[in-house]
Amino acid sequence: MAAQEVTATGLGPWPGEDPLEAARIIRGELGSPHLPFLAELPERGVGSDALGRTASFLEELAVDVQPHGWRLVDRPGKDMRRAASALSTDLNVLADVAGAEDVSARELKVQLVGPLTLAAGLYLHNGERALLDHGARRDLAASLAAGVGGYLGRVAAAVPGTRLVVQVDEPAITAVLAGTIPTASGYRTLRAIAVSEAREAWRLVLDALRAAGAAEVVVSLPDIEAPIELALSAGADGVALPLKALTNRQWEQLAGAVEAGKHFWAGALEVSGGTLPQVAEGVESLWRPWRQLGLPAQLLSAVRVTPSAGLAGLTPAQATAVLGRLTQVADGLNQRVLG
């Protein structure tokens, strides 16, 4: 069962190149009831970025790296092998670290890039984004849905008995739906994707994740024009959003979702300003709008607090401090629940 209190987690990206150090820090800082995660270490280079990692477990599709980015190709090459090797290393390290713990965390989160952002980030043979081609979009969503079972199976083998939570990252979704992503030439933009197509692509992947053993699936969205209701109607258990720029309308949508039993991962700790916010500031960023909406304090159990963004741009010491501050914010909110 998920924790019946406010808990903390991170979004995935982590500084440095050492998966052992990352796993030890994350699992040390985010022990139960909090949610440790499998780190993404983009500083390691090709294949350790979020897009390359997700592309490495596509079924019957292959990618390589070109100067403009990841490209769909006919057969796997060294770039895809490098991505697969990095993931294997991370899972082996996770198994070793978790296996050595006296008391292991009861949950683990993994991340993957969602089908719409994947289509926006991968390129076709002709140098255009896969997002341009309806057939490519369809094939990518189907390939991702087919590949997540193997991925979650490997994660489950590394941490037997752990409740698996999946975060589906869709940072490009607002631009995909608005038709503002540029073509390769930059002289025009790609046509907007229909809401119905986005919903079906998400539903396909979310259903596959649940069939593969995911106990909770949350879609991570950008704060500007986030399609909250679309993600939930596609079957997501909740959404993850940074708090800073949320509008009143978005807060009302989130309130309705929480009242309906959905989860809200709140980016309550701003990490882009250089100085880490104080605990009280993090608590108030969520508590104030919560009370203004008339939501009961007890419903805060639907919330996990996260940083406003990934932590790859920080030092390991700074990233560790962020996780520590997050757990303090969670504790502060739990104290508000208790009165």
Side-chain angles (χ1 to χ4, degrees):
M1 290 291 292
Q4 296 302 302
E5 57 188 306
V6 182
T7 56
T9 192
L11 293 176
W14 189 261
E17 302 179 20
D18 185 348
L20 179 59
E21 177 190 53
R24 285 174 170 164
I25 291 172
I26 291 166
R27 294 181 71 82
E29 294 292 331
L30 297 178
S32 291
H34 303 294
L35 180 61
F37 56 94
L38 182 65
E40 296 167 356
L41 302 170
E43 286 181 31
R44 287 190 298 190
V46 170
S48 290
D49 58 298
L51 197 68
R53 167 156 291 184
T54 299
S56 75
F57 51 79
L58 291 174
E59 283 286 327
E60 297 184 5
L61 290 177
V63 294
D64 70 5
V65 175
Q66 296 295 308
H68 52 269
W70 287 94
R71 178 187 66 167
L72 289 159
V73 292
D74 294 330
R75 60 184 62 84
K78 61 180 176 56
D79 298 322
M80 200 162 178
R81 287 193 296 271
R82 187 172 172 185
S85 175
L87 177 58
S88 293
T89 296
D90 291 353
L91 292 176
N92 290 337
V93 166
L94 173 65
D96 290 344
V97 173
E101 292 169 344
D102 293 331
V103 179
S104 279
R106 63 192 180 205
E107 299 180 292
L108 175 74
K109 178 176 71 73
V110 295
Q111 308 80 224
L112 57 90
V113 175
L116 283 310
T117 296
L118 196 63
L122 296 179
Y123 290 82
L124 302 171
H125 288 273
N126 63 7
E128 281 294 356
R129 298 176 191 271
L131 189 67
L132 176 71
D133 185 280
H134 179 269
R137 298 194 302 268
R138 182 192 60 225
D139 291 348
L140 271 173
S143 176
L144 181 59
V148 295
Y151 175 46
L152 286 198
R154 294 171 66 194
V155 175
V159 283
T162 299
R163 181 180 187 270
L164 295 183
V165 178
V166 181
Q167 171 189 315
V168 178
D169 290 325
E170 286 283 13
I173 188 61
T174 299
V176 167
L177 294 175
T180 57
I181 291 180
T183 59
S185 68
Y187 291 121
R188 60 187 182 91
T189 57
L190 299 177
R191 182 180 300 172
I193 302 304
V195 166
S196 57
E197 182 184 339
R199 182 185 295 111
E200 287 309 309
W202 276 349
R203 184 172 288 140
L204 185 68
V205 173
L206 299 183
D207 286 350
L209 286 166
R210 287 212 183 75
E216 179 182 338
V217 183
V218 167
V219 178
S220 179
L221 302 168
D223 52 355
I224 305 300
E225 297 296 327
I228 296 168
E229 292 173 345
L230 177 61
L232 297 176
S233 69
D237 294 306
V239 292
L241 283 162
L243 295 186
K244 189 174 183 181
L246 290 184
T247 64
N248 289 336
R249 180 173 176 271
Q250 287 174 317
W251 272 113
E252 288 165 3
Q253 289 177 331
L254 291 167
V258 168
E259 289 175 329
K262 298 293 187 177
H263 303 297
F264 175 34
W265 293 12
L269 201 66
E270 188 61 43
V271 294
S272 61
T275 302
L276 200 56
Q278 295 299 309
V279 174
E281 186 179 342
V283 170
E284 283 301 309
S285 70
L286 184 62
W287 180 252
R288 188 183 306 110
W290 199 265
R291 300 305 287 162
Q292 288 172 345
L293 287 162
L295 288 167
Q298 288 72 23
L299 280 182
L300 277 170
S301 62
V303 170
R304 296 189 196 271
V305 290
T306 77
S308 61
L311 306 179
L314 306 182
T315 67
Q318 289 170 329
T320 303
V322 168
L323 298 189
R325 185 61 50 85
L326 279 172
T327 62
Q328 292 172 334
V329 170
D331 288 343
L333 287 164
N334 286 319
Q335 288 169 19
R336 293 293 181 95
V337 175
L338 295 173

